[in-house]
Amino acid sequence: MSLPERVIDGVVARDGEAVLDRLTQAWLLSFSSPHTRSAYGSDLAQWLAFCERHEIHPLRAVRVHGDAFARWLEPVSPRTLARKLSAISSWYAYATDEGVLESNPFTRVRRPKVERFQSETVGLTEEEARALVAAADATTGPTALRTAAFVRLMIELGPRVSEALAATIDDLGHQRGHRTLRIVGKGQKTRVRNLPPATAAALDAYLDDRARRAGVTRDRLTGPLFATAGGRALDRADAYRLVVKVAKAAGLESKVTPHALRHTFATVASDRGASVKQLQQALGHSSSSTTDIYIHSRDNLERDPSQIVAAVIG
């Protein structure tokens, strides 16, 4: 099959590899969220590595190759597999729209069914959350105050980890007598959150210490809200290592990630009476159905109606 001549980013590409590279760049730029670009770029890279390993040119792939790739990815979780296949299908759909290909070979690749109210990420119980915060507060060393502030912020406000890492000192503020944090979410939508006193105190202690180390007054401190010693913003890998280290110190054997702390916020708040609407606004979800996934993920087994029926039957 010969590839059609196509102008991408102003360059005429007759070579398949040139089309591949420029197509990928253009596709990734079509997403406004850096997190989406990163996740989808990683998924596509996995597919391209599979193609190279099996001597398949990505622009000549057919459905059977997509099905084989899905089997190759196992045993990843159904939700992760569905996301990866969706990302790659999006890339092929873009190629089709641009006239590079005649059809999308991933359109009919079998994808796992993902239940609406199920999530692979499970939040901590209230007892576990308290243990994690206590372990964070007990951390020692030059980054101890940063660790305590980050863990408490993630549990008590429940931002996306990307939102917490993108926050700056200038995003802190005051409104109507409350300490606040301005969060920039997906689609550059902003929301202002009320900082609980303990979270505000942890942030103050961390930022005061950071200003002292930098040799400036607190009001002159600028930059990322959570920064390395060199001044750059913490990245996702930094945040993951931080949370895992604290979780081990807290004696939590289950896999605890920054995203699990977001789920913890949602489930604890729901259990304590927060409405779905309140949580949807706090979490920055565009749909309440997404919020429902967070709320229902932890106690599916404990809330199984079988226990109600069994209690009646005796």
Side-chain angles (χ1 to χ4, degrees), residues 295-313:
I295 294 172
H296 289 81
S297 64
R298 192 185 70 204
D299 296 331
N300 281 340
L301 292 177
E302 288 76 4
R303 293 177 179 178
D304 193 312
S306 64
Q307 305 307 308
I308 299 174
V309 175
V312 173
I313 300 300

Side-chain angles (χ1 to χ4, degrees), residues 81-278:
L81 177 57
R83 190 206 70 216
K84 289 180 179 294
L85 295 179
S86 176
I88 297 164
S89 181
S90 169
W91 183 76
Y92 277 111
Y94 194 92
T96 303
D97 290 342
E98 289 299 302
V100 177
L101 295 175
E102 294 181 359
S103 61
N104 180 351
F106 268 69
T107 298
R108 298 185 64 189
V109 170
R110 295 185 182 278
R111 303 183 194 181
K113 293 183 179 179
V114 179
E115 294 298 328
R116 177 184 175 187
F117 293 123
Q118 288 188 358
S119 171
E120 296 140 18
T121 305
V122 178
L124 305 177
T125 65
E126 291 185 15
E127 182 179 356
E128 290 171 334
R130 293 191 194 97
L132 190 72
V133 169
D137 288 343
T139 302
T140 59
T143 62
L145 293 174
R146 187 187 68 189
T147 295
F150 181 79
V151 169
R152 193 174 284 272
L153 178 77
M154 291 300 297
I155 287 183
E156 295 192 350
L157 263 74
R160 299 177 178 90
V161 64
S162 58
E163 295 171 343
L165 299 179
T168 68
I169 293 174
D170 289 341
D171 289 324
L172 293 170
H174 295 80
Q175 286 190 26
R176 300 193 299 275
H178 300 288
R179 297 287 300 279
T180 60
L181 176 65
R182 175 179 174 269
I183 293 176
V184 181
K186 291 185 176 181
Q188 298 301 299
K189 294 180 180 178
T190 63
R191 59 192 190 279
V192 177
R193 299 294 307 284
N194 185 340
L195 282 174
T199 303
L203 283 170
D204 285 340
Y206 159 56
L207 294 175
D208 286 343
D209 180 69
R210 184 167 140 194
R212 179 185 61 78
R213 291 172 182 271
V216 299
T217 58
R218 168 71 181 274
D219 62 318
R220 299 292 297 275
L221 193 64
T222 60
L225 184 58
F226 296 104
T228 65
R232 72 165 175 80
L234 293 188
D235 59 26
R236 298 177 72 90
D238 295 325
Y240 180 83
R241 286 192 294 267
L242 182 158
V243 171
V244 169
K245 183 177 180 180
V246 175
K248 289 182 178 178
L252 301 177
E253 296 181 0
S254 59
K255 186 177 181 181
V256 182
T257 65
H259 191 57
L261 304 190
R262 180 168 162 84
H263 275 257
T264 300
F265 164 80
T267 52
V268 171
S270 175
D271 289 346
R272 292 291 181 165
S275 68
V276 172
K277 186 65 175 178
Q278 289 174 315

